């Protein structure tokens, strides 16, 4: 009984707040009508964006109030009004679907906000009589849950009216995909330039030196065969260095260890070669190329490069001694989390490594979260969706 009284009290407080908000909406509707009339005669065109700004403020308050009651966040669905000249802001007001949805909620709040609050107040005397008697008989209350249901009904109305429309969500999704596509194209271009630079400055230079060394050995063979052996030894050394450079470039494109050992095994190998004390925890993945739980190849490659970049930064820049790598495969995603005990202060604007990680993950419709306060620790988390 005590818990039911507490829930009903919170529901009544929620409904009273909604009723008070309804009274504010009544005043706001008058202000909106006056602003529209002033805009029509051009003289008071500047009032309309400010009146709509007030409307957005009330809608934001209602979204927070609804989210606090239901536990579900209601996303904003209107365009900003602080950009451009007056004519552009008025045009934004006139063409923004979110503003019209907020206007619909403003008018509806006058009705259901006051009506549901009135019903709750009417139910309270009945609840005290009926549920009081039921409580003495040791039975569950019957009227108090109705007051809670009224608050939930009001929250559902507000959620339905203030959430973004399907067309708005589709437009936001298209904009997000356009941004991630541009980032993927930029990341691909950066990767191609890196490969070209590695081949030109590393492997190609060593192969040219190898060719010259073999040419010198061929000339020396005709004149003095005793001096050929040192030249051939040097040529062999340069050939081995060229192969090492070429393997490095190949690993940068797609590490062969991913194909041979899977993501879990590849990350363990990466941790062993990092120079740090790394603890790797794996959930939902197994070592081996034949593991049926393996994620798609692009997801594995992105997760591998996230770990590689994080461990490289920890070893080179943060002064870390230890790190923890977590790999978790669920039904719909792969989560990668790397945490080190370094000095922190990682910044995406300095260098291209972390920015490249974000672009690579965004190209797969994933998300990256970086936490690196000064003094540490640094934590990098990537969520990669997969079937």
């Amino acid at each position: 009984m005590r818990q039911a009284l507490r829930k009903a009290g919170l529901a009544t407080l929620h409904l009273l707040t909604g009723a008070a908000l309804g009274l504010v909406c009544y005043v706001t509707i008058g202000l909106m009508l006056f602003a529209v009339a002033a805009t029509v005669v051009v003289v008071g065109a500047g009032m309309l964006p400010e009146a709509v700004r007030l409307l957005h403020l009330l809608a934001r308050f209602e979204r927070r109030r609804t989210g606090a009651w239901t536990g579900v966040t209601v996303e904003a669905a209107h365009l900003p009004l602080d950009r451009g000249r007056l004519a552009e802001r008025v045009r934004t007001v006139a063409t923004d679907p979110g503003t019209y949805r907020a206007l619909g909620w403003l008018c509806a709040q006058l009705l259901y906000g006051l009506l549901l609050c009135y019903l709750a107040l009417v139910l309270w005397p009945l609840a005290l009589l009926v549920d009081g008697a039921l409580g003495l008989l040791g039975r569950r209350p019957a009227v108090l849950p109705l007051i809670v249901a009224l608050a939930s009904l009001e929250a559902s109305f507000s959620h339905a009216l203030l959430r973004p429309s399907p067309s708005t969500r589709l437009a936001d999704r298209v904009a997000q995909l356009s941004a991630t596509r541009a980032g993927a194209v930029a990341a691909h271009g950066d990767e191609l330039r890196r490969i070209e630079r590695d081949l030109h400055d590393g492997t190609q230079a060593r192969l040219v030196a190898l060719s010259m060394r073999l040419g010198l050995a061929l000339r020396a063979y005709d004149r003095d065969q005793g001096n050929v052996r040192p030249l051939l030894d040097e040529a062999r050394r340069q050939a081995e260095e060229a192969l090492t450079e070429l393997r490095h470039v190949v690993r940068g494109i797609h590490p062969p260890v991913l194909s041979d050992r899977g993501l879990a095994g590849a990350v363990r190998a990466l941790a062993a070669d990092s120079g740090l004390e790394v603890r790797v925890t794996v959930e939902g993945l197994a070592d081996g190329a034949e593991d049926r739980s393996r994620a798609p190849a692009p997801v594995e490659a992105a997760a591998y490069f996230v770990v590689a970049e994080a461990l490289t930064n920890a070893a080179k820049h943060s002064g870390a001694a230890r790190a923890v790598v977590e790999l978790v495969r669920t039904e719909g995603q792969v989560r990668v989390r790397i945490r080190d005990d370094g000095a922190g202060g990682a910044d995406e604007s300095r260098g291209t490594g972390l920015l490249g990680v974000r672009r690579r993950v965004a190209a797969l419709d994933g998300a990256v979260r970086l936490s690196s306060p000064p003094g540490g620790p640094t934590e990098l988390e990537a969520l990669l969706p997969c079937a």
Side-chain angles (χ1 to χ4, degrees):
M1 183 66 179
R2 183 178 301 176
Q3 186 177 4
L5 279 171
R6 180 177 176 275
K7 288 184 177 179
L10 292 175
T12 304
L13 180 61
H14 180 82
L15 291 170
L16 285 172
T17 307
L21 186 61
L23 296 177
V24 176
C25 290
Y26 180 82
V27 178
T28 306
I29 288 176
L31 179 62
M32 291 292 300
L33 292 175
F34 181 76
V36 170
T39 303
V40 169
V41 298
V42 182
V43 177
M47 293 183 59
L48 185 60
E50 299 304 321
V52 172
R53 197 187 303 274
L54 174 61
L55 172 64
H56 290 172
L57 181 64
L58 293 175
R60 187 183 307 119
F61 175 78
E62 178 64 10
R63 283 194 296 269
R64 291 178 180 175
R65 195 173 70 94
T66 301
W69 178 259
T70 61
V72 179
T73 302
V74 186
E75 299 178 1
H78 56 78
L79 300 176
L81 297 175
D82 53 354
R83 300 175 184 174
R85 298 181 178 180
L86 177 60
E88 296 176 0
R89 286 185 287 152
V90 172
R91 190 179 303 112
T92 299
V93 169
T95 58
D96 182 15
T99 298
Y100 290 102
R101 292 186 70 85
L103 280 173
W105 162 79
L106 189 73
C107 298
Q109 182 70 27
L110 283 173
L111 301 175
Y112 69 77
L114 296 172
L115 177 61
L116 294 178
C117 181
Y118 176 76
L119 290 176
L121 295 177
V122 170
L123 286 175
W124 263 107
L126 183 62
L128 294 176
L129 291 175
V130 175
D131 291 342
L134 291 175
L136 293 175
L137 296 175
R139 296 183 180 180
R140 294 181 180 180
V143 182
L144 290 175
L146 296 178
I147 300 176
V148 179
L150 289 177
S152 299
L153 181 62
E154 192 219 29
S156 65
F157 285 158
S158 296
H159 187 277
L161 291 170
L162 289 175
R163 67 184 178 184
S165 64
S167 60
T168 301
R169 289 198 297 269
L170 179 60
D172 292 341
R173 182 62 174 160
V174 170
Q176 180 187 5
L177 291 176
S178 298
T180 55
R181 179 180 179 275
V185 170
H188 180 67
D190 293 341
E191 190 72 9
L192 288 179
R193 284 189 291 272
R194 182 192 64 81
I195 294 172
E196 188 275 336
R197 184 174 61 251
D198 289 346
L199 289 174
H200 182 273
D201 298 342
T203 308
Q204 179 177 289
R206 295 188 185 280
L207 290 175
V208 169
L210 173 62
S211 176
M212 295 176 62
R213 188 67 60 184
L214 290 174
L216 292 174
L218 184 61
R219 292 180 183 179
Y221 182 81
D222 295 333
R223 297 193 306 269
D224 185 4
Q225 296 183 6
N227 294 327
V228 174
R229 182 59 184 266
L231 293 174
L232 291 177
D233 289 340
E234 181 65 19
R236 179 184 177 185
R237 184 186 64 81
Q238 291 179 348
E240 291 175 350
E241 291 177 352
L243 286 174
T244 301
E245 291 281 349
L246 192 57
R247 290 192 189 100
H248 176 74
V249 173
V250 170
R251 283 196 299 269
I253 299 173
H254 185 81
V257 68
L258 273 177
S259 302
D260 298 337
R261 298 178 56 182
L263 178 59
V267 168
R268 287 194 176 97
L270 192 64
D273 295 337
S274 66
L276 302 173
E277 182 185 336
V278 182
R279 179 167 58 90
V280 179
T281 62
V282 179
E283 182 180 338
L285 292 167
D287 293 343
E290 302 301 325
D291 176 26
R292 294 185 178 181
S293 64
R294 292 188 64 170
V299 174
E300 285 192 342
Y304 178 87
F305 284 114
V306 168
V307 177
E309 181 64 28
L311 293 181
T312 300
N313 288 344
K316 287 186 176 181
H317 306 300
S318 71
R322 289 176 295 275
V324 177
V325 178
E326 297 177 6
L327 295 176
V328 179
R329 169 69 194 273
T330 60
E331 236 180 81
Q333 69 178 10
V334 171
R335 186 177 80 242
V336 183
R337 181 182 297 160
I338 307 96
R339 181 184 178 93
D340 65 66
D341 62 352
D347 187 0
E348 293 184 36
S349 62
R350 296 181 299 184
T352 59
L354 291 174
L355 181 60
V357 165
R358 189 173 293 278
R359 285 176 172 174
R360 184 186 290 269
V361 173
L364 299 174
D365 204 20
V368 174
R369 182 184 64 84
L370 174 65
S371 174
S372 183
T378 295
E379 184 176 290
L380 179 66
E381 183 181 49
L383 300 176
L384 296 160
C386 60

